[in-house]
Amino acid sequence: MKQKDTKFQKRFGARLREIRRQKGLSQEALASACDLDRTYIGGVERGERNISLINIHRLAQALDVEAGDLF
């Protein structure tokens, strides 16, 4: 994977973690709210996963934010 791609994934993950914590949710609670696995959420937050648009949409809905707010 290109270094630039990895940096983008890490920034996205950091933003996701920031919003999740602001909302007072654990990774497990967020995962349950959007029907994803907790380990998947952790991987996204660490920048290890290349998340799909569908899952971005699901996370945004569960966090009650616009998808663009995650970027």
Side-chain angles (χ1 to χ4, degrees):
M1 183 179 305
K2 295 179 183 176
Q3 185 177 9
K4 185 169 64 171
D5 293 339
T6 302
K7 280 185 173 182
F8 181 77
Q9 286 176 207
K10 286 186 183 289
R11 283 196 324 257
F12 180 89
R15 180 69 178 143
L16 174 61
R17 180 180 292 123
E18 177 185 9
I19 293 171
R20 175 182 60 77
R21 287 180 174 169
Q22 287 174 355
K23 300 284 184 170
L25 295 172
S26 66
Q27 286 181 349
E28 189 171 344
L30 177 57
S32 179
C34 56
D35 198 29
L36 295 170
D37 192 85
R38 183 201 52 81
T39 60
Y40 179 80
I41 300 294
V44 171
E45 287 187 355
R46 290 187 303 274
E48 299 170 352
R49 305 293 303 242
N50 187 11
I51 188 169
S52 71
L53 288 173
I54 297 298
N55 288 342
I56 291 170
H57 176 73
R58 291 164 83 177
L59 287 165
Q61 284 186 317
L63 292 167
D64 195 30
V65 298
E66 295 293 321
D69 294 337
L70 295 172
F71 292 89

